[in-house]
């Protein structure tokens, strides 16, 4: 039994990039998620098939490692495969290759099945995952935890959830949490640093009309990297925690 | 001399769609602009070539007519061509065809050349437009004016410009004005009505860190259509005016 590897090509559009023509982290994640959605669809267990059972995939956490970020107009290749599953979780990985075939991004993620009506996680159903040919394994995979926010030096911004933040699961799309998080860093920082690592854990859904707080603290570590810790909150409820590693962009870089 | 028609294919990704899986108006515009950018690039007068001259294309106004809006996962085709130009303006049109080759969207737009440093419009330079083989015509084309907002019944929402709202021209990307405008309409209206026409006119650039007001008034016309009039303002400065025509979605529609 060979795990199904899915491959998808994508041209990076200018509107998926920031002012420096670099693919944004939220769009990078969207492009990877699109690939896993396409694989599911091709195997007959896409969103529509799941919706008929009253189910939907939700993402619980992911880590992304970025060697170099694709830029506008480049043709990239995304591969993805389910790694294993257990009673409650499915593990999936992604690789992104740049225009000359170099591996530039790797990611690992944990998915669960949501009962769309009850908004509760349900047991993974064999017929939903069988087509991916990933092994069942009782073992829970330990996933990295985001760095905790430093309360005493955190800053925060407020955002009202917009209509266009909502996806077909009728909650805020996971990529929007990244937009809210990145936006707490200032312009000067964002244009002089590059993101090399992201870990995010989703705790509670956010819905249309909610007012959220995006909190952030920033620290420099002993190797000169910056670690930003992020938390999205609705009132006293924690919706997500994340941390990002940033490195200073060298002057000779093309950025 | 034959005007160059450029053709580009695009697969509508889930993250370009709203909760009902319909391509959003801002992403539709982005996809069209991407096609014109690709044409310019192919003809050797792309963004990078213009940037070397200290120039950039900016869009001053567009109208979009939507017969039916593409949905997630569909493969669409975009064609675009320069129509004519004069001392200050270039006119361009777009057609979008759905998966079965039916024309579903048409758009007309006016572009101008910006001196990126001085933030001023400059005369259209022959060498920049010659490759498109569109005719020079002294005649200014009259473009439709958006409906005016009804002050006495308008509502408004405030938005702070985010880092990711900024494009390579270092101002808010034109599509973000549409997001701010659409977001003033409520959830119930947006899920029961479809956009059939848009006219937008850009007056003044918006920059990073600005706080904008998105104002809107909504009226039903004699044929049962709804017209929403929109205005984006920074303090007392009008940044853009727009109007949109909406029709009730029939129950038997797939939405």
């Amino acid at each position: 039994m060979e795990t199904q590897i899915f491959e998808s090509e994508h041209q990076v559009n200018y509107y998926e990039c920031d002012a420096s023509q670099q693919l944004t982290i939220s769009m990078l994640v969207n492009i990877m998620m699109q690939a896993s959605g396409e694989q599911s669809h091709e195997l007959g267990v896409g969103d529509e098939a799941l919706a008929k059972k009253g189910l939907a995939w939700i993402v619980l956490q992911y880590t992304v490692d970025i060697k170099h970020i694709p830029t506008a107009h480049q043709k990239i290749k995304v591969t993805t495969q389910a790694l294993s599953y257990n009673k409650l979780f499915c593990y999936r990985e992604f690789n992104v290759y740049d225009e000359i075939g170099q591996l530039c991004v790797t990611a690992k993620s944990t998915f669960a099945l949501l009962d769309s009506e009850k908004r509760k996680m349900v047991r993974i159903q064999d017929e939903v995952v069988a087509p991916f040919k990933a092994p069942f394994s009782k073992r829970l995979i330990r996933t990295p935890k985001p760095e905790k926010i430093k309360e005493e030096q955190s800053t925060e911004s407020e955002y009202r959830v917009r209509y266009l933040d909502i996806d077909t699961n009728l909650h805020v799309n996971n990529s929007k949490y990244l937009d809210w998080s990145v936006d707490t860093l200032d312009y000067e920082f964002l244009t002089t640093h590059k993101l090399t690592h992201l870990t995010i854990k989703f705790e509670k859904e956010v819905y249309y009309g909610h007012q959220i707080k995006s909190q952030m603290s920033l620290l420099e570590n002993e190797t000169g990297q910056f670690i930003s810790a992020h938390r999205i909150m609705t009132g006293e409820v924690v919706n997500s925690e994340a941390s990002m590693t940033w490195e200073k962009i060298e002057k000779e870089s093309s950025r």
Side-chain angles (χ1 to χ4, degrees), chain A:
Chain A
M1 195 166 83
E2 192 88 338
T3 305
Q4 300 277 317
I5 301 181
F6 183 81
E7 197 176 303
S8 174
E9 294 207 335
H10 181 82
Q11 185 191 281
V12 179
N13 294 308
Y14 83 90
Y15 56 85
E16 296 164 340
C17 296
D18 63 18
S20 312
Q21 305 233 45
Q22 318 252 325
L23 182 60
T24 67
I25 180 65
S26 51
M27 284 296 177
L28 170 61
V29 167
N30 283 336
I31 291 164
M32 293 193 287
M33 296 290 168
Q34 171 79 24
S36 69
E38 282 171 25
Q39 181 182 35
S40 305
H41 184 74
E42 200 177 272
L43 295 175
V45 287
D47 287 346
E48 314 79 24
L50 257 66
K52 284 182 189 148
K53 299 170 186 276
L55 299 174
W57 285 115
I58 50 166
V59 65
L60 298 182
Q61 70 80 230
Y62 46 81
T63 60
V64 182
D65 284 285
I66 302 170
K67 280 187 186 165
H68 56 272
I69 192 81
T71 55
H73 312 303
Q74 286 185 350
K75 278 196 178 62
I76 59 175
K77 191 177 80 180
V78 182
T79 64
T80 182
Q81 63 177 312
L83 296 175
S84 71
Y85 71 104
N86 52 45
K87 273 198 311 190
L88 282 175
F89 307 123
C90 280
Y91 304 103
R92 175 176 281 280
E93 73 171 16
F94 300 88
N95 289 310
V96 181
Y97 299 87
D98 68 12
E99 202 153 47
I100 57 165
Q102 281 186 316
L103 183 65
C104 55
V105 175
T106 57
K108 294 206 171 188
S109 60
T110 308
F111 285 84
L113 274 182
L114 182 78
D115 179 316
S116 308
E117 195 70 34
K118 294 188 188 145
R119 309 309 288 182
K120 286 233 161 106
M121 272 171 56
V122 293
R123 269 184 83 118
I124 302 289
Q125 301 176 3
D126 281 342
E127 75 257 34
V128 167
V129 289
F132 299 104
K133 297 188 178 162
F136 176 87
S137 161
K138 273 190 181 169
R139 201 170 66 87
L140 296 181
I141 294 180
R142 281 174 72 98
T143 52
K145 287 198 170 46
E147 295 282 331
K148 287 278 173 195
I149 207 167
K150 306 279 178 259
E151 304 284 352
E152 64 282 3
Q153 38 188 287
S154 71
T155 58
E156 72 177 37
S157 299
E158 294 211 12
Y159 301 87
R160 187 177 45 77
V161 176
R162 305 179 187 177
Y163 178 69
L164 293 175
D165 295 334
I166 304 297
D167 66 18
T168 49
N169 284 343
L170 302 180
H171 61 198
V172 171
N173 184 262
N174 70 88
S175 69
K176 303 295 174 178
Y177 292 68
L178 300 175
D179 288 341
W180 291 330
S181 298
V182 167
D183 196 51
T184 57
L185 291 155
D186 70 29
Y187 194 93
E188 199 275 333
F189 183 85
L190 290 170
T191 50
T192 51
H193 294 79
K194 60 181 179 187
L195 181 63
T196 59
H197 174 81
L198 157 72
T199 300
I200 186 163
K201 213 163 165 275
F202 299 96
E203 304 283 355
K204 286 266 177 208
E205 297 173 291
V206 183
Y207 300 111
Y208 177 70
H210 276 181
Q211 188 84 15
I212 67 96
K213 284 181 293 203
S214 176
Q215 303 173 323
M216 187 272 298
S217 64
L218 186 64
L219 277 181
E220 192 173 355
N221 71 11
E222 58 286 353
T223 60
Q225 294 171 320
F226 286 89
I227 312 290
S228 60
H230 301 270
R231 191 167 59 194
I232 305 297
M233 299 194 73
T234 316
E236 294 307 305
V237 174
V238 176
N239 298 105
S240 72
E241 290 184 294
S243 60
M244 303 185 191
T245 307
W246 303 83
E247 286 174 19
K248 206 162 168 62
I249 297 169
E250 301 296 329
K251 271 244 170 93
E252 50 280 14
S253 120
S254 64
R255 182 151 183 174

